[in-house]
Amino acid sequence: MLKIIIGIIAVAIIGFIGFMIIDPQINNETVNSYIIASEDLFRCTIEGEVKSEKTYVLSEGATMGDLIEAAGGLTDNADTLAFFEDAQLTNGMTYFIASKYDDSDICNDTEIQKVNVNADDALTLQNINGISSAVANSIVSHRAENGMFYTIEQLMDVYGIGNATYNKIRNYVTLHT
């Protein structure tokens, strides 16, 4: 595995040198930043209200803002209350940017009714289809024990929320006001 990685880096360096000969506007800073960045890379996928949904390769320590920027930015329908730009990303995760307006609404003028998983009480959380009283209590308990949620995906760490529940509720929660 190490030989493969070294081979890939060597090919990249040779390619950059070749491009520098062909295009002298590529400078050593560009080559050096690529080599440094290639040592600590990981992949994250972004879905939802971004201009280009797909998997991106980012440097270790990248934030949600970096991933959104890599995806070409947000759409006009992105709910900016459903993510924190400075949230640290985890290698291999898929992140979701929620909609502000209901996609099935042709005029797109009715905002989706949402709950704040970092502030609302268990009774209020139950206003969302898919959040039962048990799940609402688990969210409140998890928040009390572990602190606030920085990404919607952290809801999957809550007892009682699996992939199906997460996918059902992810467009109906916010993280801040």
Side-chain angles (χ1 to χ4, degrees), residues 77-88:
N77 193 23
D79 185 352
T80 57
L81 300 178
F83 65 88
F84 288 105
E85 281 196 31
D86 61 348
Q88 294 291 307

Side-chain angles (χ1 to χ4, degrees), residues 115 120-137 139:
V115 295
D120 289 339
D121 61 21
L123 190 59
T124 304
L125 293 173
Q126 292 175 60
N127 289 328
I128 300 304
N129 186 17
I131 300 181
S132 64
S133 62
V135 169
N137 287 326
I139 290 171

Side-chain angles (χ1 to χ4, degrees), residues 21-85:
I21 293 168
I22 295 168
D23 185 359
Q25 292 186 3
I26 296 177
N27 58 32
N28 287 334
E29 275 184 39
T30 305
V31 174
N32 290 338
S33 67
Y34 177 79
I35 293 168
I36 292 167
S38 68
E39 295 174 0
D40 297 315
L41 297 180
F42 64 90
R43 297 177 184 273
C44 290
T45 302
I46 190 163
E47 300 175 338
E49 297 300 325
V50 291
K51 294 188 177 160
S52 183
E53 296 178 303
K54 65 181 183 179
T55 300
Y56 293 92
V57 177
L58 302 167
S59 297
E60 188 174 335
T63 64
M64 183 67 77
D66 297 328
L67 183 56
I68 291 168
E69 183 179 330
L74 300 169
T75 67
D76 292 338
N77 193 23
D79 185 352
T80 57
L81 300 178
F83 65 88
F84 288 105
E85 281 196 31

Side-chain angles (χ1 to χ4, degrees), residues 90-140:
T90 302
N91 189 18
M93 283 290 294
T94 297
Y95 294 94
F96 178 74
I97 303 298
S99 301
K100 188 177 211 174
Y101 299 100
D102 185 356
D103 289 333
S104 65
D105 179 9
I106 295 172
C107 297
N108 244 4
D109 62 355
T110 305
E111 285 194 31
I112 297 172
Q113 198 65 29
K114 299 187 179 200
V115 295
N116 184 326
V117 293
N118 282 322
D120 289 339
D121 61 21
L123 190 59
T124 304
L125 293 173
Q126 292 175 60
N127 289 328
I128 300 304
N129 186 17
I131 300 181
S132 64
S133 62
V135 169
N137 287 326
S138 288
I139 290 171
V140 172

Side-chain angles (χ1 to χ4, degrees), residues 1-11:
M1 184 68 169
L2 183 59
K3 288 180 183 179
I4 293 171
I5 293 171
I6 292 171
I8 291 170
I9 291 172
V11 169

